[in-house]
Amino acid sequence: MSSIQNIDIKNIQEELRKFLEHTKKCLPHISIYTVIFSFNNDNLNVLLLRFGDTQYFSLPGGFVLKNEKIDDASLRILKKRTDLSKLYIEQFTTTGNVENPNEDIYNETLKKMGIVLPDNNLMNQRRISICYYSLIDAAKVNPKGNDFFVSEVKWRSVQKLPELMYDHKLIIEKAISKLQLDMDRKLVSYNLMNETFTMGELQKLYEAVFQREFTRTNFQRKMLSLNILERLDKKYSGESHKAPYLYRFKNIQ
Amino acid sequence: MSSIQNIDIKNIQEELRKFLEHTKKCLPHISIYTVIFSFNNDNLNVLLLRFGDTQYFSLPGGFVLKNEKIDDASLRILKKRTDLSKLYIEQFTTTGNVENPNEDIYNETLKKMGIVLPDNNLMNQRRISICYYSLIDAAKVNPKGNDFFVSEVKWRSVQKLPELMYDHKLIIEKAISKLQLDMDRKLVSYNLMNETFTMGELQKLYEAVFQREFTRTNFQRKMLSLNILERLDKKYSGESHKAPYLYRFKNIQ
DNA sequence: TCAAAAGTGTTTATTATACACCCATGG
DNA sequence: CCATGGGTGTATAATAAACACTTTTGA
């Protein structure tokens, strides 16, 4: 992942040209943002893009093609960032305030990069943002950033988020709330896990999402009582304690 | 509430002119729909607009002004239909498919009414719809319809909905799901009730929303245990049975 | 005094929580 | 044989569901 110093200007101008070409095919005033969650190192992480040479990050986003369903637009943006298709997505809010916080940072940074966007470009117009979250297995993904203003693509723990552009802090908070709700009511957690896992690993995921601890013994019983887990062989890690069973979610096609 | 036969043509053309003027000030490709709920005759009702002289109804909706927050747009549309301000609203989904079901009915009806909308009008473009629901006390409202294509404004029970335009059936179903979720998790039901009510009336509301029956005695205990109700005087209805207490929600400013 | 609806009490089942206990593992 | 983490059992508390019983009201 390159820092902004390494981005060569010709490349930026070429990317800019492509971007302008692309936005001509999109609906104005409407953007999509995706909060991409993964679980790693006992943390719930979000994929963020560093904005130019600033300390600010933003969510991966994009526009909706004139003939594209909004869910498909979200999947297309995810594919672009992760190379993964058929991801689990969930729409959770649409934001549409008029003010655009950090507009100054946006303008200055583009100026510094020698980027001039036409006034009538989608980026310079008022935008309403349709927000999705997506759950992915961090092991399967190789995040990419190829927008002209992206200098770095990074997983960041929701515990210690960097400064965020626009209203993206609020969007991430809403995404976490919706994820908690969904994990309470339906089977989505498997999207964040490896195919097999120990009960301890699953508990760590729940603790990262709900930001609280669960009693180990009761968590185990609760999960098993749902009848969604299949018990496999034990996992010998080489550590000096009883080897835990591996589990797999049943009925995942 | 007039049927379409009674709408005089001059009036329609005048309304149309105003409408076209208005849409010029709005964002393209974005519409707002509001599912307005009320509780009446033991039914959960939705405010619907009859479309021209057809059997089809649609939800009240509108567009977002170029300098207007989307929540404010929703409130403005509600004010227009109900004359009420500061209503409780909750955004629950944004739909954005490309196909537009019932477009034929839409076109034929306008033609029959002698209405010609310019091709570039917002109504003739692909639209993404931000959907809100609102809860109102039916006693306080006098529904109005003054769009050129509205021939009737009606409360309809969610139990027996008429044929609906576009994807409005689905939108109403999603609204009911979100309402159920919200009633489970926070105090919103007071928006649908008169200031004072009996426990039986409150139970009827819950039964209408959740489409199931509750055991009377347990329902009463549950509600009282929440500590949100204030018990007032008894209500003597003149019927030959014990008079129920009236209740009021506490802490409603 | 009766039917109808409201209010209260009690019993039982279900679920959540806490924690004691034993088991396997490698050093 | 010990520390560590994993698995199971049990006791208790909180909540939900079912239903019996009493009260009030007007006819």
Side-chain angles (χ1 to χ4, degrees):
Chain A
M1 291 168 223
S2 53
S3 77
I4 194 146
Q5 291 89 333
N6 304 326
I7 297 181
D8 94 72
I9 301 294
K10 247 190 220 155
N11 214 354
I12 287 186
Q13 294 301 336
E14 171 61 13
E15 275 177 26
L16 177 58
R17 198 193 54 75
K18 274 192 211 157
F19 177 79
L20 292 176
E21 208 56 42
H22 167 67
T23 55
K24 277 184 201 161
K25 291 180 264 170
C26 293
L27 296 175
H29 304 296
I30 297 162
S31 62
I32 302 271
Y33 282 110
T34 55
V35 180
I36 310 179
F37 286 118
S38 74
F39 177 63
N40 210 275
N41 300 119
D42 298 351
N43 272 294
L44 183 67
N45 299 306
V46 175
L47 192 72
L48 293 177
L49 314 177
R50 184 190 293 276
F51 184 72
D53 64 345
T54 70
Q55 287 308 106
Y56 286 85
F57 284 76
S58 74
L59 290 167
F63 296 101
V64 182
L65 292 167
K66 282 174 182 157
N67 252 310
E68 184 182 41
K69 293 181 186 185
I70 55 174
D71 285 2
D72 290 342
S74 173
L75 290 169
R76 174 173 54 77
I77 290 161
L78 283 165
K79 166 88 177 155
K80 172 177 161 186
R81 294 287 171 199
T82 65
D83 258 334
L84 297 176
S85 302
K86 294 179 194 165
L87 289 174
Y88 176 82
I89 58 170
E90 196 76 45
Q91 187 200 299
F92 62 92
T93 196
T94 296
T95 64
N97 283 353
V98 179
E99 322 84 55
N100 196 2
N102 305 128
E103 204 171 356
D104 45 340
I105 294 167
Y106 167 81
N107 286 328
E108 278 168 32
T109 306
L110 289 205
K111 200 172 167 189
K112 212 186 295 177
M113 294 171 85
I115 293 171
V116 181
L117 287 170
D119 266 3
N120 67 349
N121 184 265
L122 273 52
M123 290 294 283
N124 290 331
Q125 296 174 343
R126 186 228 169 144
R127 289 195 303 283
I128 286 169
S129 302
I130 308 169
C131 303
Y132 288 81
Y133 78 75
S134 179
L135 305 179
I136 72 181
D137 174 357
K140 288 195 193 133
V141 70
N142 180 26
K144 304 190 297 180
N146 48 3
D147 277 344
F148 58 90
F149 53 81
V150 175
S151 60
E152 195 180 5
V153 181
K154 242 189 168 171
W155 288 113
R156 297 295 295 255
S157 161
V158 298
Q159 286 302 90
K160 33 182 185 179
L161 292 171
E163 286 198 273
L164 289 156
M165 294 284 283
Y166 314 126
D167 55 350
H168 291 189
K169 180 101 195 296
L170 187 65
I171 291 176
I172 292 174
E173 282 163 6
K174 282 192 182 180
I176 294 171
S177 294
K178 182 67 178 351
L179 173 61
Q180 291 177 349
L181 198 64
D182 290 338
M183 275 182 63
D184 251 359
R185 331 184 96 237
K186 48 188 182 182
L187 181 54
V188 298
S189 47
Y190 67 89
N191 291 291
L192 286 164
M193 299 295 281
N194 224 309
E195 204 200 329
T196 64
F197 47 86
T198 67
M199 196 57 82
E201 287 163 354
L202 188 62
Q203 186 176 342
K204 288 274 173 57
L205 167 61
Y206 274 77
E207 291 181 337
V209 170
F210 288 94
Q211 291 302 311
R212 53 164 290 217
E213 300 195 335
F214 294 92
T215 311
R216 181 182 60 85
T217 55
N218 293 334
F219 180 83
Q220 165 129 344
R221 211 188 328 267
K222 185 70 200 298
M223 282 298 142
L224 292 178
S225 77
L226 296 175
N227 255 26
I228 53 171
L229 295 180
E230 185 182 351
R231 180 177 276 183
L232 309 170
D233 291 339
K234 290 189 175 185
K235 179 191 180 187
Y236 290 86
S237 62
E239 285 165 289
S240 61
H241 56 76
K242 191 171 175 178
Y245 288 105
L246 281 175
Y247 294 89
R248 173 167 56 195
F249 284 101
K250 285 184 196 169
N251 308 320
I252 307 299
Q253 61 289 20
Chain B
M1 286 166 224
S2 53
S3 78
I4 194 146
Q5 290 89 331
N6 304 327
I7 297 181
D8 96 71
I9 301 296
K10 249 190 218 155
N11 215 353
I12 288 187
Q13 294 301 335
E14 171 61 12
E15 277 177 25
L16 178 58
R17 197 194 55 74
K18 276 191 210 157
F19 178 79
L20 292 176
E21 208 56 43
H22 168 66
T23 56
K24 277 183 199 160
K25 290 181 263 169
C26 294
L27 296 174
H29 304 295
I30 296 162
S31 62
I32 302 271
Y33 281 110
T34 54
V35 180
I36 309 179
F37 286 117
S38 73
F39 176 63
N40 211 276
N41 300 120
D42 298 350
N43 272 293
L44 183 67
N45 299 305
V46 175
L47 191 72
L48 293 176
L49 314 178
R50 184 189 293 274
F51 185 71
D53 65 343
T54 71
Q55 287 308 105
Y56 287 84
F57 284 76
S58 73
L59 291 166
F63 297 102
V64 183
L65 292 168
K66 282 173 183 158
N67 252 309
E68 184 182 41
K69 294 182 186 185
I70 55 174
D71 285 4
D72 290 342
S74 173
L75 290 169
R76 174 174 53 78
I77 290 161
L78 282 165
K79 166 86 177 157
K80 172 177 161 186
R81 294 288 170 199
T82 65
D83 257 335
L84 297 176
S85 303
K86 294 180 195 164
L87 289 173
Y88 176 83
I89 58 169
E90 196 77 44
Q91 186 200 299
F92 61 93
T93 196
T94 296
T95 64
N97 284 352
V98 180
E99 323 84 55
N100 196 2
N102 306 127
E103 205 171 357
D104 45 341
I105 293 167
Y106 167 80
N107 286 328
E108 277 168 35
T109 306
L110 290 206
K111 199 171 166 189
K112 211 186 296 177
M113 295 171 84
I115 293 171
V116 181
L117 285 171
D119 267 3
N120 66 350
N121 185 263
L122 273 52
M123 289 295 282
N124 289 331
Q125 296 174 345
R126 185 228 170 145
R127 288 196 305 282
I128 286 169
S129 301
I130 308 169
C131 303
Y132 288 80
Y133 78 74
S134 179
L135 305 180
I136 72 182
D137 174 356
K140 290 197 193 128
V141 71
N142 180 25
K144 303 189 298 180
N146 46 4
D147 278 344
F148 57 89
F149 53 81
V150 174
S151 61
E152 193 179 9
V153 181
K154 240 189 169 172
W155 288 112
R156 296 295 295 255
S157 162
V158 298
Q159 286 301 90
K160 33 182 185 178
L161 290 171
E163 287 198 273
L164 288 155
M165 293 285 282
Y166 315 125
D167 54 351
H168 291 190
K169 182 101 193 296
L170 187 65
I171 290 175
I172 292 174
E173 283 164 5
K174 282 191 182 182
I176 294 171
S177 294
K178 182 65 178 352
L179 173 60
Q180 290 178 348
L181 199 64
D182 290 338
M183 274 183 63
D184 250 358
R185 331 185 94 237
K186 48 189 181 181
L187 180 54
V188 298
S189 47
Y190 67 88
N191 291 292
L192 286 163
M193 297 295 281
N194 222 310
E195 203 200 329
T196 63
F197 47 87
T198 67
M199 196 57 81
E201 287 163 354
L202 188 61
Q203 185 175 343
K204 287 274 172 57
L205 167 61
Y206 273 78
E207 291 180 338
V209 170
F210 289 95
Q211 291 301 313
R212 53 164 289 218
E213 300 195 335
F214 294 91
T215 310
R216 181 183 60 86
T217 55
N218 293 335
F219 179 84
Q220 164 130 344
R221 212 185 330 266
K222 186 72 201 298
M223 282 298 142
L224 292 178
S225 76
L226 296 175
N227 254 27
I228 52 171
L229 295 181
E230 186 182 350
R231 184 176 275 184
L232 308 170
D233 290 339
K234 290 190 175 185
K235 179 190 178 186
Y236 291 86
S237 63
E239 286 165 287
S240 63
H241 55 75
K242 192 172 176 177
Y245 288 105
L246 282 175
Y247 294 89
R248 173 167 57 195
F249 284 103
K250 285 183 196 169
N251 307 322
I252 306 299
Q253 62 288 21

